[in-house]
Amino acid sequence: MKLRYLTLVMILIAMFFTVSCSSPRNLVLTCEERHIEIYVDGQYLGRDLVYYTVPKGQKYVEVSCRNNGVEIYSKKVYTDDLKKGNMFELQIPKHLKYSNNRHY
């Protein structure tokens, strides 16, 4: 009887760890404007087309785009929304006006 109980407990523990330890998810980011620098969680990944593996357990990533080091766009991407092979095209708004009325 104890052996069956122990076996059942071990199976439940294994199921818990299998469900809670989800596999890392991949994120593909692309930007039509090749001069834009793409960052994820503050880390520079490149320009044009970049790949990023989201660490296990992370709820979201912060994606930002910079032009000559100045942030011009940012977005949170929630990992729960990611499926296998996610590709996000980053659309940079044109003709932005800042508080000093200067156009980007």
Side-chain angles (χ1 to χ4, degrees), residues 25-40:
R25 298 183 181 173
N26 294 320
L27 181 62
V28 180
L29 301 162
T30 182
C31 184
E32 195 173 281
E33 300 178 44
R34 295 181 163 233
H35 66 280
I36 298 296
E37 305 149 354
I38 301 172
Y39 288 75
V40 175

Side-chain angles (χ1 to χ4, degrees), residues 30-33 65 72-73 88-94:
T30 182
C31 184
E32 195 173 281
E33 300 178 44
C65 298
I72 58 171
Y73 178 81
F88 287 93
E89 186 171 340
L90 302 169
Q91 299 287 333
I92 310 300
K94 302 288 185 197

